[in-house]
Amino acid sequence: MSLLQLDHLYKRFGGLEAIGDLSLAVPEGQLLGIIGPNGAGKTTMLNLVTGYLRPSKGQILFDGRRVAGLPPYRIAALGVSRTFQIVQPFHEMTVAENVLVGSLFLSGRRRSIAEMRRLAEGPLETVGLQHRAADPAGALTFGDKKKLELARALASRPRLLLLDEVMSGLNRAEIGSMCDIVRQVHRAGTTVIMIEHLVQVILTLCERVFVLDFGHELFQGAPGEVMQHPEVIASYLGKQLEREVQPG
Ligand SMILES: Nc1ncnc2c1ncn2[C@@H]1O[C@H](COP(=O)(O)OP(=O)(O)OP(=O)(O)O)[C@@H](O)[C@H]1O
Ligand SMILES: [Mg+2]
């Protein structure tokens, strides 16, 4: 059984069909990459899975359970966690407190603040920010804010982690370090779906690639297959790769 399954999913915004008849099955343990041009519906798809948006039609199954239309906090409690394309930490709170907010979504019994602080230590260590735990989040560099965003998502100990462009705006070294973190999280047993414009990153990291083109599936397959698909190259990959190899 798939951990996540989208069945004939639709999302309309007025006259615009952002997602149209989209089906997708993600087995537990997979690291899936999602690529596609701007406005393809990638973030919308993620918003549907996490309950930030309600589908116009279709069903979403998480671990066999229908979740379409449930509020975000209920879906989070089932084990789905996400990062946001635009980082939005609480600037006045410390780095550790920001991560702690993520652990509020941990399911099960109530926990003391002291226990939650301890639980925040693991994710901070995973992203390499433990030495910044007591600093205000606003003092972090943009790259470290991206890592904090990921640590916060990890604090709820998700079974499914959804990453919306965690690499965007990072420099080359930061991208390398973020790739290592994602790999580590995946190896520890988390199913990961990552949306990314950096095709090189997707091809290196992911086991399977899904190409979304204006709400529809254009292609899905192994990274090597995607690179050889003429339609994918024509619609997206060609332009994107040209951009990535350009200096500066
Ligand atoms: N809340 C909304 N209300 C109206 N239209 C929306 C809303 N959210 C997204 N859209 C539209 O739906 C389409 C898909 O947007 P979405 O943000 O999902 O694309 P994306 O693939 O994530 O793009 P990008 O790569 O730029 O992040 C776009 O045309 C966008 O303008
Ligand atoms: Mg987006």
Side-chain angles (χ1 to χ4, degrees), residues 42-43 85 164-165:
K42 304 181 296 296
T43 299
Q85 190 166 348
D164 197 356
E165 298 194 27

Side-chain angles (χ1 to χ4, degrees), residues 8-213:
H8 302 287
L9 207 59
Y10 288 81
K11 180 63 192 177
R12 284 187 204 93
F13 296 111
L16 174 83
E17 192 174 77
I19 297 288
D21 198 19
L22 186 70
S23 294
L24 167 67
V26 185
E28 178 134 46
Q30 188 161 72
L31 175 39
L32 174 72
I34 297 188
I35 58 173
N38 291 116
K42 304 181 296 296
T43 299
T44 300
M45 177 176 155
L46 201 148
N47 284 336
L48 290 167
V49 172
T50 49
Y52 287 82
L53 288 173
R54 184 183 281 268
S56 311
K57 220 163 79 178
Q59 194 45 257
I60 303 170
L61 297 165
F62 178 70
D63 201 17
R65 186 177 165 163
R66 290 161 169 255
V67 296
L70 288 183
Y73 74 92
R74 295 262 321 267
I75 296 179
L78 292 174
V80 181
S81 191
R82 72 174 295 178
T83 63
F84 289 88
Q85 190 166 348
I86 312 289
V87 285
Q88 29 193 239
F90 301 104
H91 281 93
E92 286 79 33
M93 286 164 57
T94 67
V95 166
E97 284 162 351
N98 267 275
V99 177
L100 203 140
V101 170
S103 48
L104 295 175
F105 292 105
L106 271 171
S107 53
R109 63 194 168 78
R110 282 171 183 272
R111 292 171 174 83
S112 69
I113 292 287
E115 188 185 355
M116 290 205 296
R117 273 192 197 283
R118 275 197 304 280
L119 285 171
E121 285 168 12
L124 275 180
E125 219 167 283
T126 303
V127 304
L129 282 179
Q130 64 276 42
H131 62 294
R132 303 298 306 267
D135 295 338
L140 296 181
T141 62
F142 178 74
D144 281 348
K145 280 182 187 153
K146 284 276 201 180
K147 288 183 182 171
L148 174 59
E149 175 82 4
L150 177 52
R152 185 172 58 178
L154 288 173
S156 61
R157 300 196 178 169
R159 285 176 71 189
L160 174 64
L161 177 66
L162 304 157
L163 304 175
D164 197 356
E165 298 194 27
V166 278
M167 310 282 173
S168 77
L170 300 187
N171 64 37
R172 202 173 278 263
E174 289 169 333
I175 289 171
S177 132
M178 192 63 99
C179 284
D180 290 341
I181 296 167
V182 172
R183 214 176 263 129
Q184 187 188 335
V185 168
H186 174 240
R187 283 198 185 131
T190 312
T191 306
V192 181
I193 300 179
M194 64 187 303
I195 295 171
E196 202 55 63
H197 274 295
L198 294 173
V199 175
Q200 308 276 16
V201 166
I202 291 283
L203 296 178
T204 318
L205 272 183
C206 297
E207 300 166 328
R208 192 159 64 108
V209 183
F210 187 95
V211 187
L212 194 62
D213 193 38

